[in-house]
Amino acid sequence: NAGVTQTPKFRVLKTGQSMTLLCAQDMNHEYMYWYRQDPGMGLRLIHYSVGEGTTAKGEVPDGYNVSRLKKQNFLLGLESAAPSQTSVYFCASNADRGNGYTFGSGTRLTVV
Amino acid sequence: DAKTTQPTSMDCAEGRAANLPCNHSTISGNEYVYWYRQIHSQGPQYIIHGLKNNETNEMASLIITEDRKSSTLILPHATLRDTAVYYCIVSRGSNYKLTFGKGTLLTVNP
């Protein structure tokens, strides 16, 4: 099992460009999440999904969109990147509330 | 979800037990206590969780006080590879999300 795989691992964007971060899990988990982590800070929830076809806003959703068309994939989109979105992005999944999350290894995004 | 309070940093000698405290005085009856850790730049790793009883797994033990207002994560024989930021999280969210604070930086010294 690969667990949670994030693509790409690194990316540099220019202000105003768009991109999509892909999160894929092979554990048949129902719930998936996108977090961002800024230097010296804890993780902050951007968006999450409680099942295929569903999405919901987290703590810091502005500037991001998400889609969960397939159960195993959770996409995070930036329509018009801004320097404030420079961060490390982590995807996570879990089967139900009683279980711990499995996190991916992160995507390091720099917006210049 | 209840808020948690953790020390900013702690030190531990290699081979000794590391005891990481967490206060969660506003915890509700159906809220779980979760512990995660994050080794430099990696994705967080789930360690253990509990509701009211003490829990133990291959990584650690979780001791929850009887009134559930605080807990302690115990790493029985800390190694250098246990140096990480440890997050204590309390959650009952019907939408299953976890809120991460700044955690405790545990440094294991040789």
Side-chain angles (χ1 to χ4, degrees):
Chain A
N1 281 347
V4 176
T5 302
Q6 292 185 231
T7 310
K9 296 191 183 304
F10 301 93
R11 185 73 185 268
V12 178
L13 283 181
K14 294 183 178 180
T15 297
Q17 286 185 319
S18 63
M19 78 164 294
T20 300
L21 281 66
L22 172 62
C23 177
Q25 52 95 1
D26 61 2
M27 298 169 286
N28 201 36
H29 283 174
E30 201 67 35
Y31 312 108
M32 297 186 74
Y33 314 82
W34 275 107
Y35 286 87
R36 62 176 287 174
Q37 185 173 35
D38 300 316
M41 303 286 289
L43 283 76
R44 292 184 292 170
L45 182 64
I46 305 172
H47 285 281
Y48 62 98
S49 169
V50 299
E52 181 178 320
T54 73
T55 64
K57 294 181 180 180
E59 182 185 0
V60 288
D62 293 342
Y64 305 95
N65 56 75
V66 288
S67 65
R68 182 100 182 268
L69 298 180
K70 294 183 178 180
K71 186 177 185 179
Q72 63 269 33
N73 296 336
F74 195 28
L75 279 63
L76 178 70
L78 287 73
E79 290 187 348
S80 180
S84 61
Q85 294 177 304
T86 293
S87 190
V88 181
Y89 292 85
F90 289 104
C91 176
S93 70
N94 71 320
D96 61 45
R97 183 163 65 92
N99 291 347
Y101 287 19
T102 300
F103 279 84
S105 58
T107 295
R108 284 149 184 77
L109 175 67
T110 302
V111 183
V112 297
Chain B
D1 295 335
K3 292 186 177 180
T4 62
T5 304
Q6 299 178 254
T8 302
S9 62
M10 294 181 62
D11 287 322
C12 178
E14 187 177 20
R16 304 297 293 268
N19 298 289
L20 291 90
C22 180
N23 287 322
H24 31 78
S25 58
T26 60
I27 192 169
S28 299
N30 58 353
E31 288 183 307
Y32 289 82
V33 179
Y34 292 85
W35 282 86
Y36 286 77
R37 72 180 182 183
Q38 187 174 25
I39 298 171
H40 180 64
S41 298
Q42 298 179 18
Q45 177 188 23
Y46 165 78
I47 301 172
I48 198 168
H49 75 280
L51 184 61
K52 59 176 78 172
N53 297 322
N54 297 338
E55 302 287 346
T56 296
N57 63 21
E58 65 278 4
M59 290 182 66
S61 294
L62 173 60
I63 308 298
I64 303 174
T65 58
E66 190 169 346
D67 62 8
R68 302 207 327 121
K69 292 185 177 182
S70 66
S71 61
T72 301
L73 179 74
I74 301 172
L75 307 178
H77 305 286
T79 70
L80 299 179
R81 289 178 294 179
D82 291 322
T83 293
V85 177
Y86 287 77
Y87 298 98
C88 169
I89 303 165
V90 174
S91 177
R92 66 171 175 86
S94 59
N95 40 21
Y96 308 86
K97 56 184 192 266
L98 300 179
T99 301
F100 287 76
K102 293 189 178 181
T104 297
L105 173 61
L106 174 68
T107 303
V108 180
N109 300 306

